[in-house]
Amino acid sequence: MVTNGERAMVALLDGEDNPGEHLVDPRGESSSDGYVLSNGQVDSYADRDTVAFDVAGHAVAYFIEHGTWPAEVTVEGDCGQ
């Protein structure tokens, strides 16, 4: 998970050869910047590929507790991207 304080990119990787999946906001129409990576790089992401910070926090906590994403979030596989 990486955040700019308002939105968050939440990705789940599934091994070295599998690109995994990430949470999406199907209604996201713009983009946001200010996502600072651990190497200091600052990225921008389409709002469709991020979710509101509170949604991200709830989804990650739910995943840790239950081993699956909550029903109210949309998850997209990253194969072929």
Side-chain angles (χ1 to χ4, degrees), residues 32-78:
S32 302
D33 58 6
Y35 296 90
V36 181
L37 307 182
S38 62
N39 65 0
Q41 177 178 321
V42 180
D43 281 352
S44 304
Y45 295 112
D47 285 346
R48 184 188 186 290
D49 290 324
T50 64
V51 295
F53 184 79
D54 61 331
V55 171
H58 167 73
V60 170
Y62 187 95
F63 191 90
I64 290 169
E65 187 171 332
H66 300 281
T68 187
W69 297 112
E72 65 271 14
V73 299
T74 303
V75 181
E76 187 172 274
D78 291 328

Side-chain angles (χ1 to χ4, degrees), residues 1-2 8-13 19-23 49 60 69 78:
M1 182 170 123
V2 63
M9 160 66 82
V10 180
L12 178 64
L13 304 179
E21 61 193 17
H22 70 282
L23 301 186
D49 290 324
V60 170
W69 297 112
D78 291 328

